[in-house]
Amino acid sequence: MTISEDITKMVGKKKLHFSLLDPDKQKPEDAGLIAKIAEDAGSSAIMVGGSTLLSQQQVDETVKAIKENTSLPVILFPSGAKFLSKYADAVFFMSLMNSRNLNYIVREHVKGAPFIKQSGIEPIPMGYVIVEPGMTAGKVGEVDLVKKDDIETAVGYALASQYLGMDFFYLEAGSGAHTPVSNRMVEAVKKNINIPLLVGGGIRNIKTVKEKANAGADIIVTGTTLEKEKNLKQALCDIINAIEE
Ligand code: 1GP
């Protein structure tokens, strides 16, 4: 079974949590330790990526450290073809649908596809849309942000992703966002598509996690919490329990 099939199967049974680690935010060995805590707390995959990466080596070392410490699938969440790693299990082959820059929609994909073929990592097609406030990802990705109350446009992007053959759709407000994607938007998008829906950006506490899961998110992505929480194991256990309730 592929990682994509495995995730889709799991999503049919329960809501999931993915942990996002940005190689730019901590040393590889610390990423390994955090990933281990995430696995113990019940996270289902480790995503690796960020908008401000410097080198492929940085990604390679982080992925290797995570693989040494956990048995969770490591899925790249790359900002460009330069940041792929042959040590990962899979890559979200994602199109940033609302970017103004063709590189993020398809051209980086053209550059990275031969590497993916050669290295054997599994490409997982995903539509990716950034909603206000968008944060660094919105700026770096040169995104025409979806307005936070523009439900119709969000649904349009989600349906377009599904019709283009994407296996997943990711709705995000940007890492560190003060307001996450609204419950109304999550609900409307979920009602309209039948591919798994990921939601992330600014999700840091149990209340928000519960709201997004109840609104219809199949997979909740958290990043900043992994860097900031003092008692990470407990904080992640609380978040993951809230998702699964
Ligand atoms: C990843 O934006 C999410 O795409 C992560 O957001 O860092 O706010 O959890 P946080």
Side-chain angles (χ1 to χ4, degrees):
M1 195 184 282
T2 64
I3 291 169
S4 174
E5 286 165 348
D6 201 30
I7 295 169
T8 308
K9 199 173 151 204
M10 282 196 283
V11 160
K13 294 187 190 135
K14 62 173 189 169
K15 310 237 172 217
L16 306 179
H17 174 266
F18 285 4
S19 301
L20 173 71
L21 284 168
D22 182 344
D24 216 18
K25 299 276 165 62
Q26 70 280 297
K27 292 193 202 114
E29 55 268 34
D30 292 333
L33 297 175
I34 295 173
K36 170 83 177 92
I37 295 173
E39 178 171 35
D40 292 345
S43 200
S44 299
I46 308 290
M47 289 163 61
V48 174
S51 316
T52 54
L53 296 176
L54 297 172
S55 70
Q56 184 179 43
Q57 192 193 353
Q58 204 184 12
V59 184
D60 278 344
E61 284 172 7
T62 295
V63 172
K64 278 201 264 183
I66 295 170
K67 293 294 296 174
E68 276 161 22
N69 281 277
T70 78
S71 55
L72 288 179
V74 177
I75 308 174
L76 301 172
F77 182 60
S79 49
K82 278 191 299 199
F83 305 117
L84 295 168
S85 168
K86 64 180 177 189
Y87 302 104
D89 301 298
V91 53
F92 276 129
F93 202 71
M94 62 207 194
S95 180
L96 180 47
M97 312 279 290
N98 55 337
S99 175
R100 293 182 300 278
N101 184 336
L102 265 183
N103 289 316
Y104 297 116
I105 298 171
V106 73
R107 287 187 179 157
E108 285 296 312
H109 311 61
V110 174
K111 288 186 205 155
F115 179 92
I116 292 173
K117 170 97 181 156
Q118 228 172 27
S119 59
I121 54 178
E122 177 188 329
I124 303 179
M126 181 165 81
Y128 178 40
V129 162
I130 306 184
V131 179
E132 288 178 334
M135 312 306 281
T136 309
K139 287 194 193 89
V140 173
E142 296 169 57
V143 169
D144 275 339
L145 298 173
V146 174
K147 302 257 178 267
K148 62 181 187 323
D149 49 7
D150 188 355
I151 311 274
E152 209 180 316
T153 300
V155 169
Y157 273 122
L159 277 173
S161 299
Q162 180 177 314
Y163 297 161
L164 282 165
M166 306 297 189
D167 288 340
F168 293 85
F169 182 67
Y170 187 11
L171 200 53
E172 100 137 302
S175 182
H178 46 83
T179 355
V181 176
S182 75
N183 300 337
R184 278 184 57 227
M185 189 178 277
V186 173
E187 203 170 28
V189 166
K190 178 63 190 171
K191 262 196 199 128
N192 277 280
I193 57 173
N194 50 32
I195 52 177
L197 171 63
L198 291 86
V199 177
I203 302 178
R204 297 179 268 270
N205 58 46
I206 299 172
K207 180 175 173 279
T208 317
V209 162
K210 270 194 183 145
E211 281 176 13
K212 302 310 155 197
N214 290 339
D218 296 299
I219 300 170
I220 305 269
V221 181
T222 67
T224 308
T225 302
L226 304 170
E227 298 151 18
K228 301 256 159 82
E229 281 291 340
K230 290 223 168 61
N231 188 348
L232 181 57
K233 174 95 187 274
Q234 192 54 53
L236 269 184
C237 282
D238 292 346
I239 282 178
I240 293 164
N241 288 339
I243 294 175
E244 290 173 356
E245 263 168 24

